[in-house]
Amino acid sequence: MTPAPYRIRSRRPDRADTVTLTLEPVDGACPSFVPGQFTMLYAPGVGEIPISISGWFRPGGYVQTIRAVGAVSRALCHKRRGDVIGLRGPYGTGWDLSAAAGLDVVVAAGGLGLAPLRPVVRELTAHPSLYGRASVIVGARTPATVIYPQDLARWHDGHGIDVQVTVDHPDQAWTGPVGLVTHLLDRIVFEPRRTFAFVCGPDAMIKATAVELVRRGVDPRRTAVLLERNMKCGIGRCGHCQLGPLFVCLDGPVVTYDVAAPLLAVREL
Amino acid sequence: MAAFVLDSLEPLIAELRSRGFAVVGPVARGGVIRMEEISSAADLPRGARDEQTPGRYRLSTHDGDLMFDYAASPDSAKRFTQPPRQTLIRMRRGDIEEVEDEAPRLALLGIRPCDLAALAVQDRVFLGGRHPDPAYRRRREALFLVTVNCAVPGGTCFCVSMGTGPKATKGFDLALTELADPHRFVVEAGSEKGVDVLGALSQAAACDDDLAAAEEVSRIAAEHMGRQVDTEGIQQWLPQAHDSPRWSDVASRCLSCTNCTMVCPTCFCTTMEDSTSLSDGTAERVERWDSCFTLDFSELNGSPVRGSGEGRYRQWLTHKFATWYDQFGMSGCVGCGRCITWCPVGIDVTEELANLR
Amino acid sequence: MGTRKGTAVTRSVRKRTEGVPRLAVWKFASCDGCQLTLLDCEDELLSVAAEVEIAYFLEASSAPGPGPYDLSLVEGSITTPEDLERIQHVRRVSKHLVTIGACATAGGIQALRDFGDVREFAAVVYARPGYIATLDRSTPISANVPVDFELRGCPIDKRQLLEVISAFLAGRRPVVPAHSVCVECKARGNACVMVAHGTPCLGPVTQAGCGALCPAFDRGCYGCFGPMESPNARALNKQLRALGMSTPELVRVYRTFNATAEPFRQASESAENSREADDDA
Ligand SMILES: Cc1cc2nc3c(=O)[nH]c(=O)nc-3n(C[C@H](O)[C@H](O)[C@H](O)COP(=O)(O)OP(=O)(O)OC[C@H]3O[C@@H](n4cnc5c(N)ncnc54)[C@H](O)[C@@H]3O)c2cc1C
Ligand code: SF4
Ligand code: SF4
Ligand code: SF4
Ligand code: SF4
Ligand code: SF4
Ligand code: FES
């Protein structure tokens, strides 16, 4: 439970309340990770929270995107280049990309849910021949809260991935779709029976999207979702992340929807 | 393993102390049996008997020499293996220092068979997974366990249902059965350490009468369980009962006070507390006991996942008796009855289970 | 009530330099317990911050400090129209506003007035009640302006006060959990006085913070930190009656402190209206 010291190599404000940090170990090597895994980031004296890994940089470090919603995330967002924070992990299960080989791929993100999905799309852009058609659909509250706008544009323009973004509350300049992310499923092309889906966002978004995918014929075992729960330890010790039989920190955060569906269906589980 | 007879526990206590163990045993204090450090057999609660019913505990004193004529005390081994608060790390200007408290060498004298079973559960939780806990290991390995087989189960005990008592079969260094007329103890070693300690005492081999008397104590105890639980298929049916109207019934009586989880010898949940010194910048993290009955426990995006009393009581009962099997391959309940006795309003898990089934 | 010209005392603990956190302490209608706690812990403040500047505005008429303050601690409840204006000023000049004590968070003992007619009350206490501009109700600070944090207790606990101050200055959530006293009671290793002795205890419905002080001395908790996060007073009352508490005793215990905190108000009123064991319903 002792974090290792990591130095902030760079800090990029993404949106008004969101910051992307690159983190490298003060000494030693940075453990490798599987996309979908998270680390516990420790802001000294303030607290420790789970944050997904959004990328890797050479020779060895993590890219992590943090939205300031409370005390710890705010403290992490306020850190500067060169500051040292604590890091444990990576922990949890990752996205099973090998299971998607040869299939159409749908990546569905709600808000900050795009952060843990970014390395999935990077893989799709790096090895396009391994997969079928690839689409990325993103739902956000407002245009200003869509993260990684440059990545989205690059994936679309440079890599031929179908990228669609919808918002709940458009502003004057918005010309794209308005409404739920599930509506975007009508705008992309995939063969449901030969599709693997990666879904991340708030519980309600995950449920709505997965239900819609399954209704269209996607196999729940080919619908991977990333769950969020209160986490204090990340290693099956504190008990906070329990979802019925699961420790989301150990058995998740990534699980397939056949596992998640009956659990998410129970109120207050 | 061969059994022996001890006329007094004094030499055992002295031997353990001479080997550098602090001996922790039952004492009667404030009308309750507590587990505290003792220096002699005279500290043991001679003649004490308890009366345990849902939400009620009373101690009385009787004639005779018996020192273990009561059931589980509110203090299980958990207090020693997983202290209520422990400092994990300290951080000063970029240096992160792990705080390693020295594990005290403790001889727990008079812990019960259900407590041994609870230690086995803790071992599985803290050491049996992908991230073993070195601090728990240090404390655990520094323990010497002298269990006492139960003669008089408490009114809330149900170890027979959970297969954990009233006679210990494993997990101890020494196991005692207390006999009357004349007052003596049949003792068995359950480990190398136990054999070694026993070898240093002058003891006589137990005769057939002693052994028969000890068997009789355990047999009678097993017939006098205060409570029982039908565990058949519980891993399957209990989680499926999530919509039962019984949950709101029990929630109307439950205080969400956390006492059941705090006294339970296997409940392991914790939370973290952070602090800083603004003057020299030192930051500290402390881990402390937590409970699924608090609202912070499941807070997500600003509100608790389990906001209702139903949701929280259901988490506790379902975790102890069902989902624990999924997670650890064993029951989370060892049948010690503490949660029943020490619930301020006397909510009884065995009764709730019977009604839910 | 203070009518003479008050003075604001500004104390720099160590010498004043730029960037020193600025604290202000404001007093409204209350007993004096909480503020004494603060005066009592200046030394400890030095252990959490090398330097702090504290301004005290202990009397309603003391010149209001212009601010801005990093943290304002507000004690007492709002009882007069002047109080209302003053608290709005405090909110404007403070980055964070924290209320301290039962009076500020729940109306406190002041709010006992709520149960009778306030003019009658004034007539007893003051010779010329007509001159007393008293609001009909004593209201907690949070009913008047947004509050960043409420620290409970009558009087407040010194350790918790220091925790709140250092947490706000360090930008973290204060470790002031809203769960029951029982959590602390068990961590401390007390034997439960309800279960072991049959002593009535409000611990299960009361917010932690005192470290389970009363049960550590074999007494029942009397609720001085106010209601915990999800109090089930109805269920507890049933048990308290079973332990032999009478209706007047129940009413009194819920009304001593934090009388207008909603769950405690309900608990006392339901105990009063029922006379017998309505709580069984
Ligand atoms: C597996 C996993 C991966 C995660 N990955 C990321 C990530 O990559 N980037 C990221 O920014 N966050 C991520 N989160 C969420 C992040 O852990 C929480 O936002 C964080 O714990 C909040 O802690 P805090 O101390 O800042 O807020 P707290 O002080 O705990 O909470 C303060 C207030 O913030 C609000 N709040 C708390 N949590 C959230 C939340 N999740 N979303 C919105 N509002 C909230 C509530 O209103 C709350 O009252 C992840 C969570 C999990 C479980
Ligand atoms: S549950 Fe069994 S082993 Fe535990 S105290 Fe009761 S009788 Fe003894
Ligand atoms: S659930 Fe109750 S009976 Fe079972 S081990 Fe825990 S405290 Fe003992
Ligand atoms: S019952 Fe509650 S406190 Fe006990 S281990 Fe399970 S989740 Fe944790
Ligand atoms: S079951 Fe009893 S001990 Fe447990 S939280 Fe409810 S009232 Fe408290
Ligand atoms: S003595 Fe009071 S505070 Fe302590 S556990 Fe019992 S009911 Fe709770
Ligand atoms: S986060 Fe602690 S058990 Fe999963």
Side-chain angles (χ1 to χ4, degrees):
Chain A
M1 294 272 249
T2 306
Y6 273 64
R7 183 166 288 114
I8 296 175
R9 201 175 88 146
S10 71
R11 174 187 186 277
R12 186 188 76 211
D14 252 311
R15 289 298 187 181
D17 57 354
T18 307
V19 165
T20 295
L21 303 177
T22 56
L23 301 165
E24 62 190 357
V26 169
D27 36 46
C30 187
S32 64
F33 78 103
V34 181
Q37 285 192 302
F38 64 95
T39 65
M40 297 297 292
L41 293 186
Y42 172 55
V46 182
E48 196 179 43
I49 55 172
I51 297 291
S52 299
I53 302 175
S54 307
W56 172 265
F57 65 85
R58 267 174 254 286
Y62 303 126
V63 180
Q64 304 200 263
T65 297
I66 305 160
R67 176 161 290 165
V69 295
V72 185
S73 50
R74 200 176 304 126
L76 289 168
C77 285
H78 285 162
K79 292 287 176 197
R80 282 180 304 224
R81 230 184 97 201
D83 283 353
V84 173
I85 63 170
L87 183 150
R88 293 190 291 127
Y91 295 135
T93 55
W95 306 107
D96 185 359
L97 278 153
S98 65
L103 303 174
D104 288 351
V105 175
V106 174
V107 172
L112 211 63
L114 189 55
L117 287 168
R118 184 169 170 270
V120 171
V121 188
R122 302 276 293 213
E123 161 65 19
L124 299 179
T125 59
H127 304 104
S129 61
L130 292 182
Y131 308 92
R133 273 167 301 214
S135 322
V136 175
I137 55 175
V138 178
R141 204 154 295 159
T142 63
T145 58
V146 179
I147 58 166
Y148 309 144
Q150 294 90 343
D151 283 341
L152 290 170
R154 207 176 52 242
W155 296 336
H156 189 263
D157 302 338
H159 296 278
I161 292 178
D162 188 1
V163 177
Q164 303 270 348
V165 182
T166 181
V167 298
D168 296 336
H169 307 289
D171 59 15
Q172 305 268 295
W174 185 254
T175 55
V178 173
L180 297 177
V181 70
T182 45
H183 297 161
L184 296 180
L185 289 172
D186 291 330
R187 297 172 156 245
I188 57 171
V189 182
F190 60 101
E191 170 61 51
R193 276 166 224 297
R194 298 188 29 76
T195 291
F196 201 101
F198 299 92
V199 184
C200 180
D203 274 9
M205 176 271 173
I206 288 180
K207 265 199 264 190
T209 309
V211 163
E212 191 52 30
L213 284 164
V214 170
R215 195 184 64 80
R216 288 166 194 242
V218 180
D219 188 335
R221 289 166 302 175
R222 285 181 176 165
T223 305
V225 302
L226 189 147
L227 301 171
E228 194 186 334
R229 279 297 175 270
N230 188 308
M231 290 188 184
K232 295 287 181 218
C233 72
I235 55 171
R237 189 68 49 69
C238 72
H240 286 241
C241 68
Q242 287 177 80
L243 176 65
L246 305 185
F247 284 111
V248 173
C249 66
L250 295 175
D251 308 310
V254 178
V255 294
T256 49
Y257 193 61
D258 56 318
V259 174
L263 303 175
L264 293 177
V266 179
R267 203 173 53 87
E268 295 198 344
L269 191 62
Chain B
M1 192 152 285
F4 299 91
V5 171
L6 293 176
D7 292 335
S8 158
L9 293 184
E10 209 64 81
L12 174 62
I13 293 170
E15 177 61 25
L16 289 168
R17 284 164 62 86
S18 78
R19 290 178 184 231
F21 287 104
V23 179
V24 169
V27 299
R29 186 168 60 80
V32 181
I33 298 290
R34 309 305 307 260
M35 292 296 279
E36 292 181 356
E37 184 165 357
I38 58 171
S39 56
S40 120
D43 295 336
L44 296 169
R46 189 179 297 264
R49 277 189 215 158
D50 62 5
E51 185 198 330
Q52 300 197 35
T53 55
R56 190 165 189 276
Y57 180 102
R58 290 294 182 278
L59 207 59
S60 55
T61 314
H62 300 258
D63 291 339
D65 294 323
L66 297 178
M67 296 161 170
F68 298 94
D69 221 15
Y70 43 81
S73 109
D75 304 326
S76 68
K78 176 165 91 170
R79 185 166 293 281
F80 306 104
T81 51
Q82 190 199 5
R85 290 181 75 83
Q86 45 179 326
T87 305
L88 297 181
I89 57 169
R90 241 171 242 128
M91 185 165 177
R92 279 189 200 94
R93 284 175 217 85
D95 286 331
I96 301 177
E97 169 206 339
E98 185 173 343
V99 178
E100 275 195 34
D101 290 334
E102 208 186 316
R105 278 165 64 77
L106 296 180
L108 302 184
L109 168 69
I111 69 168
R112 299 297 177 158
C114 58
D115 291 327
L116 296 177
L119 276 169
V121 174
Q122 285 196 308
D123 288 349
R124 173 65 188 85
V125 170
F126 288 107
L127 303 176
R130 267 174 276 167
H131 304 278
D133 181 344
Y136 175 85
R137 190 191 298 282
R138 279 198 303 278
R139 286 187 294 264
R140 181 70 173 86
E141 285 174 354
L143 293 184
F144 187 94
L145 302 170
V146 186
T147 190
V148 173
N149 291 320
C150 287
V152 192
T156 56
C157 293
F158 55 103
C159 58
V160 166
S161 300
M162 305 315 291
T164 59
K167 180 175 168 44
T169 54
K170 57 177 189 289
F172 53 84
D173 294 306
L174 294 176
L176 306 175
T177 306
E178 187 178 36
L179 300 175
D181 305 319
H183 185 231
R184 64 201 191 282
F185 296 89
V186 170
V187 53
E188 274 177 282
S191 71
E192 294 282 319
K193 278 192 290 179
V195 170
D196 194 49
V197 167
L198 207 49
L201 306 177
S202 66
Q203 14 74 2
C207 67
D208 286 350
D209 279 358
D210 295 328
L211 294 178
E215 277 310 314
E216 189 64 1
V217 164
S218 296
R219 191 187 62 75
I220 293 176
E223 284 174 359
H224 287 82
M225 281 293 120
R227 294 265 179 301
Q228 62 172 36
V229 167
D230 178 2
T231 57
E232 182 64 33
I234 198 164
Q235 183 185 0
Q236 284 73 40
W237 73 255
L238 182 53
Q240 280 162 17
H242 56 76
D243 279 337
S244 166
R246 286 298 301 184
W247 298 116
S248 71
D249 178 84
V250 61
S252 73
R253 290 173 276 131
C254 171
L255 308 169
S256 287
C257 67
T258 80
N259 273 303
C260 45
T261 53
M262 297 280 140
V263 289
C264 177
T266 66
C267 273
F268 57 83
C269 291
T270 53
T271 191
M272 304 288 185
E273 290 181 356
D274 287 277
S275 62
T276 20
S277 160
L278 297 177
S279 49
D280 71 357
T282 307
E284 224 176 59
R285 301 212 86 198
V286 169
E287 185 189 72
R288 69 156 173 91
W289 287 357
D290 198 4
S291 164
C292 56
F293 277 99
T294 73
L295 290 177
D296 279 354
F297 189 85
S298 64
E299 188 195 303
L300 186 66
N301 300 328
S303 57
V305 171
R306 290 183 282 275
S308 72
E310 284 104 294
R312 281 172 281 158
Y313 191 87
R314 190 182 63 194
Q315 166 63 21
W316 139 260
L317 199 69
T318 311
H319 191 211
K320 298 269 77 166
F321 289 89
T323 50
W324 208 287
Y325 285 101
D326 301 294
Q327 296 168 349
F328 303 109
M330 48 170 61
S331 171
C333 173
V334 298
C336 71
R338 288 184 175 92
C339 57
I340 308 173
T341 301
W342 296 97
C343 170
V345 289
I347 293 173
D348 177 347
V349 287
T350 67
E351 186 187 317
E352 298 310 322
L353 286 170
N355 285 324
L356 277 158
R357 188 184 267 274
Chain C
M1 293 218 155
T3 46
R4 79 204 142 78
K5 200 81 195 141
T7 44
V9 190
T10 301
R11 257 211 279 278
S12 255
V13 183
R14 293 201 192 162
K15 71 176 191 305
R16 170 87 214 266
T17 49
E18 286 313 308
V20 168
R22 302 187 73 207
L23 253 70
V25 182
W26 310 83
K27 183 174 156 60
F28 289 82
S30 68
C31 54
D32 289 320
C34 295
Q35 208 183 275
L36 294 178
T37 304
L38 191 81
L39 290 169
D40 197 30
C41 65
E42 281 184 352
D43 287 347
E44 283 91 343
L45 268 181
L46 288 176
S47 69
V48 293
E51 299 176 51
V52 262
E53 183 189 312
I54 311 172
Y56 293 95
F57 305 101
L58 300 190
E59 292 175 60
S61 53
S62 64
Y69 298 101
D70 295 294
L71 175 62
S72 274
L73 301 170
V74 177
E75 190 235 338
S77 55
I78 302 301
T79 54
T80 69
E82 290 76 36
D83 285 350
L84 187 57
E85 266 176 47
R86 188 158 165 257
I87 191 62
Q88 283 162 348
H89 168 77
V90 175
R91 180 68 268 190
R92 278 194 299 275
V93 299
S94 313
K95 199 160 138 204
H96 300 293
L97 191 162
V98 170
T99 66
I100 57 177
C103 302
T105 51
I109 296 178
Q110 301 295 315
L112 289 175
R113 284 192 243 180
D114 287 7
F115 294 99
D117 180 68
V118 69
R119 277 165 224 293
E120 200 178 296
F121 181 89
V124 177
V125 178
Y126 305 102
R128 297 167 68 196
Y131 291 98
I132 310 285
T134 310
L135 292 179
D136 275 344
R137 296 166 77 84
S138 162
T139 53
I141 304 295
S142 63
N144 297 281
V145 292
V147 162
D148 296 301
F149 193 82
E150 298 188 331
L151 181 61
R152 311 275 197 78
C154 185
I156 50 167
D157 178 79
K158 191 163 153 178
R159 210 168 26 94
Q160 279 200 331
L161 177 60
L162 284 167
E163 167 58 17
V164 166
I165 295 173
S166 37
F168 272 94
L169 296 182
R172 63 179 164 83
R173 268 213 236 190
V175 181
V176 178
H179 54 54
S180 69
V181 176
C182 303
V183 176
E184 294 183 319
C185 197
K186 283 288 181 288
R188 187 174 180 144
N190 297 339
C192 176
V193 300
M194 281 241 271
V195 172
H197 306 153
T199 305
C201 180
L202 290 195
V205 296
T206 301
Q207 181 168 308
C210 63
L213 200 59
C214 294
F217 292 96
D218 280 345
R219 290 194 305 262
C221 163
Y222 54 93
C224 71
F225 275 65
M228 51 84 93
E229 56 192 9
S230 58
N232 188 350
R234 182 184 261 284
L236 182 65
N237 284 357
K238 191 177 165 192
Q239 184 73 4
L240 294 177
R241 282 188 202 280
L243 294 176
M245 263 181 116
S246 67
T247 294
E249 281 170 337
L250 268 177
V251 170
R252 191 167 350 106
V253 76
Y254 282 112
R255 283 196 184 161
T256 307
F257 301 101
N258 295 298
T260 54
E262 201 46 37
F264 279 10
R265 173 203 285 261
Q266 280 172 14
S268 78
E269 283 173 0
S270 104
E272 188 166 52
N273 295 339
S274 71
R275 295 291 140 203
E276 275 316 296
D278 73 312
D279 309 324
D280 303 21

